[in-house]
Amino acid sequence: MSNLRQEFIEFAVSAGVLRFGEFVTKAGRTSPYFFNAGLFSEGATLAQVARFYAQTLADAGIEYDMLFGPAYKGITLASATAVALAGMGRNVPFAFNRKEAKDHGEGGTIVGAKLQGKVVIIDDVISAGTSVRESVDMIRAAGATPCAVLIALDRMERSGKDDALSELSAVQEVAREYGMPVISIGNLNDLFEYISNGGDARLTQHKDAVAAYRTRYGV
Ligand SMILES: O=P(O)(O)OC[C@H]1O[C@H](OP(=O)(O)OP(=O)(O)O)[C@H](O)[C@@H]1O
Ligand SMILES: O=C(O)c1cc(=O)[nH]c(=O)[nH]1
């Protein structure tokens, strides 16, 4: 695990964003862990997670012109990442959508910079891929090109119902469908390594449950 990935998992745990126990995911699975990006709800933690996004994007070495954050959580994540990138000397425009179209003022559903050029979609997680697919449609409808997806945590789990699991995760399906990279700051392997290394004794008790979940659903 690279330092950045290790530091990210540690940070997400200490911020209370990555938790262990029993949680139900959007797909209805009972998961032994959950990543709730809505809990990056203070200036310092939002600034810190944005630095992780910005550094991961810089390290990926992809060419891009601007950022797009799908409502709602993607809005703060993309905005804060743009601030972090500016702090690293790269000033990029960003935009996001409204979930409901506005029929007065400037109208429409897109807020922020004009969607143009190569656009990186920034979100927290991908579950079924709906948010990314909607983002791709909005970006293309504006005449721009989605070029990558950047998420915080790749859960690395096969999509589909329990009795008909897909070979691929939703992340892999999105990457294949659109022929673009899906980059994550950290993933399930990083998380597992982190709780296994004994550095945080309170988390060791969750190791077996995470291992069993990974065996059942992991890609
Ligand atoms: O891959 P998907 O199946 O789309 O799931 C992932 C999306 O779901 C969550 O947002 P949600 O749609 O709950 O909206 P929110 O950001 O307004 O909470 C999450 O923040 C992603 O955007
Ligand atoms: O699959 C989900 O619903 C999901 C998992 C997770 O860890 N975090 C999240 O926001 N959604």
Side-chain angles (χ1 to χ4, degrees), residues 95-155:
F96 51 86
N97 66 300
R98 292 194 174 94
K99 286 201 180 186
E100 284 143 21
K102 184 168 158 176
D103 62 4
H104 60 281
E106 74 282 12
T109 56
I110 305 296
V111 186
K114 179 175 158 46
L115 283 166
Q116 55 190 357
K118 294 179 183 158
V119 185
V120 178
I121 298 164
I122 299 204
D123 210 348
D124 52 351
V125 293
I126 291 178
S127 297
T130 312
S131 167
V132 169
R133 289 188 175 89
E134 288 172 359
S135 300
V136 165
D137 289 348
M138 286 183 272
I139 292 164
R140 285 182 176 163
T145 307
C147 69
V149 182
L150 174 60
I151 56 174
L153 186 73
D154 179 358
R155 293 180 53 97

Side-chain angles (χ1 to χ4, degrees), residues 48-212:
Q48 180 62 39
V49 75
R51 284 192 288 270
F52 279 108
Y53 275 101
Q55 192 58 54
T56 302
L57 187 54
D59 291 347
I62 56 165
E63 273 184 39
Y64 65 95
D65 299 304
M66 64 178 293
L67 312 179
F68 177 80
Y72 289 102
K73 291 191 289 293
I75 296 175
T76 49
L77 297 173
S79 314
T81 301
V83 173
L85 285 166
M88 291 164 63
R90 171 129 197 223
N91 184 30
V92 291
F94 67 94
F96 51 86
N97 66 300
R98 292 194 174 94
K99 286 201 180 186
E100 284 143 21
K102 184 168 158 176
D103 62 4
H104 60 281
E106 74 282 12
T109 56
I110 305 296
V111 186
K114 179 175 158 46
L115 283 166
Q116 55 190 357
K118 294 179 183 158
V119 185
V120 178
I121 298 164
I122 299 204
D123 210 348
D124 52 351
V125 293
I126 291 178
S127 297
T130 312
S131 167
V132 169
R133 289 188 175 89
E134 288 172 359
S135 300
V136 165
D137 289 348
M138 286 183 272
I139 292 164
R140 285 182 176 163
T145 307
C147 69
V149 182
L150 174 60
I151 56 174
L153 186 73
D154 179 358
R155 293 180 53 97
M156 296 180 73
E157 60 189 65
R158 297 163 72 185
S159 56
K161 297 217 180 322
D162 277 13
D163 56 357
L165 288 177
S166 159
E167 279 305 305
L168 301 179
S169 69
V171 163
Q172 292 170 324
E173 282 165 354
V174 162
R176 191 158 81 168
E177 186 176 341
Y178 297 113
M180 63 181 174
V182 178
I183 306 152
S184 65
I185 307 172
N187 63 28
L188 176 57
N189 290 340
D190 303 318
L191 179 158
F192 188 70
E193 202 173 320
Y194 181 75
I195 62 172
S196 303
N197 72 14
D200 188 334
R202 291 162 306 167
L203 299 186
T204 314
Q205 57 174 311
H206 300 288
K207 193 181 148 195
D208 290 350
V210 174

